[in-house]
Amino acid sequence: MTRAEHIAKALRGGERLSGGDASVLWREAPLWLLGELASEAKRRASGDKVFYNRNFHIEPTNICLFNCRFCSYRRPNGSPEAWDLTLDQIEDEARRRAAGGATEVHIVGGVHPDRDLGYYAEMIRRVKSAAPAATVKAFTAVELHYLFKKAGVTAAEGLRMLVEAGMGAIPGGGAEIFDPELRKRLCPEKCTAEEWLEIHGEAHKLGLGTNATILYGHVESIEQRVDHLLRLRAQQDATGGFNAFVPLKYRRANNPLGVETGEVSVIEDLRMTAMSRLILDNIPHIKAYWVMYGKQTTELALAFGADDVDGTIDDSTKIYSMAGAEERRPAITVTEIERMAADAGLRAVERDTDYNEVAR
């Protein structure tokens, strides 16, 4: 029996993956075995369901103080390619898109040098007023850390202000890769892993559901991926508020890191999805984000532990299209999602932000 087969047997017996065993399984297990193990774990977590929601994104600005080496979205203040929506424009956009029956509005953008916590609280109030039936899932922990530091408030105090304004959840962006040395190399201006985790932990204590992410497929090692996932698992053990984990594939177009590295294969995407499901045994859902993977790879990921494909989007995000993803005008219909799930032998189920099933 190979080392990978021994680890698989222990997993099936209910043992939790250690860091060392996870690294061995990642490197040595055949793809079919990872798919089999992850599919079993997915079935235990969510049966035959594939979740999706009706959502749209608002990206208020791509002006950003930071200059991460993997980012294709950021533009400096004054760039002809920069945008900076007004509060009126944001409110109008929310009202227009909410008319389609969306249950979630997802708000992320650059870390704007001239904005403060009060401005973003007012943004949430206006979006919630324009889309009262939608959950406002707003601002990465990186954005929040900057706003709270600028305002001189603790994470708990700042989060309470935003919750009072109408925020109902936090997305998972900004985690990137937690390894401190690699983080210094790729995104030194961002908050640390510990600060990112602290903000999510405080959100969980307030009853906010959040997501978590990793940016993989650039210059990181398997061990650095495993370390990242184990830190998320430990945070979930402590505070229990992560709804879903989203592995985000690095895309190399139009960013400085792209000159020194390529992109990983679809096979590696599937291994990443499967290992996420196996290591993160306490996070309910693993998302195959179709905007980033493309629709074909997303369908494949449903056989490797993913049980969520995100939402309909309606061509409202530019972050991945600016980095060279296949979906240049990202939009998907409910019919397409239902067909994708059925082709994988699964059943599409509409959800809200907190994974309550939605009946139409």
Side-chain angles (χ1 to χ4, degrees):
M1 188 179 287
T2 66
R3 292 196 299 174
E5 288 168 339
H6 275 291
I7 296 166
K9 183 177 179 181
L11 266 175
R12 288 183 168 125
E15 291 187 26
R16 200 174 214 191
L17 272 178
S18 68
D21 283 350
S23 294
V24 170
L25 198 63
W26 208 315
R27 284 196 169 88
E28 299 182 14
L31 186 63
W32 67 263
L33 179 57
L34 286 185
E36 189 175 274
L37 292 170
S39 291
E40 290 168 6
K42 176 260 181 286
R43 292 274 179 175
R44 290 194 297 271
S46 54
D48 66 345
K49 298 174 182 177
V50 172
F51 293 98
Y52 72 94
N53 67 350
R54 300 177 196 248
N55 64 343
F56 62 92
H57 289 224
I58 294 177
E59 294 166 354
T61 185
N62 65 342
I63 295 170
C64 190
L65 275 170
F66 304 155
N67 196 13
C68 304
R69 299 194 65 238
F70 49 73
C71 183
S72 308
Y73 176 82
R74 178 254 188 197
R75 296 294 183 273
N77 207 348
S79 166
E81 296 178 315
W83 70 79
D84 188 12
L85 302 181
T86 67
L87 289 176
D88 285 344
Q89 288 173 317
I90 290 167
E91 183 177 354
D92 289 345
E93 181 76 353
R95 182 172 292 107
R96 180 178 70 83
R97 290 189 180 274
T103 60
E104 178 183 289
V105 51
H106 181 290
I107 308 175
V108 299
V111 179
H112 196 293
D114 301 327
R115 304 293 184 233
D116 59 19
L117 184 58
Y119 179 89
Y120 282 102
E122 177 62 15
M123 183 187 298
I124 289 173
R125 277 190 288 270
R126 293 178 69 161
V127 168
K128 188 64 179 175
S129 175
T135 297
V136 180
K137 185 166 76 176
F139 315 132
T140 68
V142 170
E143 294 169 270
L144 295 172
H145 178 263
Y146 172 78
L147 293 172
F148 298 161
K149 186 175 180 182
K150 188 173 182 178
V153 299
T154 65
E157 290 167 341
L159 287 167
R160 278 194 291 269
M161 289 176 61
L162 295 176
V163 169
E164 289 169 4
M167 184 173 75
I170 297 176
E176 320 307 2
I177 193 81
F178 285 154
D179 179 83
E181 293 307 311
L182 191 50
R183 199 171 182 86
K184 287 177 188 175
R185 175 182 169 189
L186 299 178
C187 50
E189 299 140 315
K190 280 185 172 173
C191 64
T192 64
E194 291 74 20
E195 290 164 337
W196 189 99
L197 290 165
E198 178 195 5
I199 286 173
H200 281 265
E202 292 296 336
H204 299 167
K205 292 174 188 176
L206 290 173
L208 289 175
T210 76
N211 285 350
T213 62
I214 186 174
L215 183 70
Y216 75 93
H218 41 89
V219 293
E220 85 288 358
S221 66
I222 296 296
E223 283 70 26
Q224 287 166 333
R225 293 183 198 172
V226 170
D227 169 71
H228 187 104
L229 296 175
L230 291 178
R231 293 192 198 208
L232 290 173
R233 191 173 76 180
Q235 183 66 57
Q236 184 76 338
D237 282 344
T239 55
F242 289 124
N243 284 329
F245 174 71
V246 194
L248 296 174
K249 178 176 183 169
Y250 166 71
R251 295 288 187 166
R252 70 189 295 259
N254 306 315
N255 60 70
L257 191 59
V259 302
E260 60 180 274
T261 188
E263 296 177 3
V264 295
S265 67
V266 171
I267 298 299
E268 189 58 35
D269 296 334
L270 300 178
R271 298 184 80 86
M272 181 75 224
T273 302
M275 289 303 302
S276 299
R277 178 65 285 165
L278 296 174
I279 295 173
L280 298 175
D281 51 31
N282 55 359
I283 294 181
H285 305 288
I286 302 297
K287 184 179 293 189
Y289 184 39
W290 68 264
V291 175
M292 174 266 295
Y293 275 153
K295 295 173 185 176
Q296 289 182 325
T297 301
T298 295
E299 184 175 326
L300 290 173
L302 297 179
F304 287 82
D307 71 342
D308 186 281
V309 297
D310 198 70
T312 48
I313 302 289
D314 194 26
D315 191 19
S316 59
T317 179
K318 298 179 181 177
I319 292 173
Y320 265 93
S321 58
M322 292 171 74
E326 288 89 344
E327 304 292 339
R328 300 305 174 93
R329 299 290 303 272
I332 193 170
T333 66
V334 170
T335 299
E336 285 180 279
I337 294 171
E338 290 173 340
R339 186 183 305 117
M340 183 187 296
D343 287 348
L346 300 167
R347 176 169 57 96
V349 175
E350 184 177 355
R351 61 164 177 86
D352 65 12
T353 300
D354 292 317
Y355 285 83
N356 300 302
E357 295 185 20
V358 174
R360 297 267 177 181

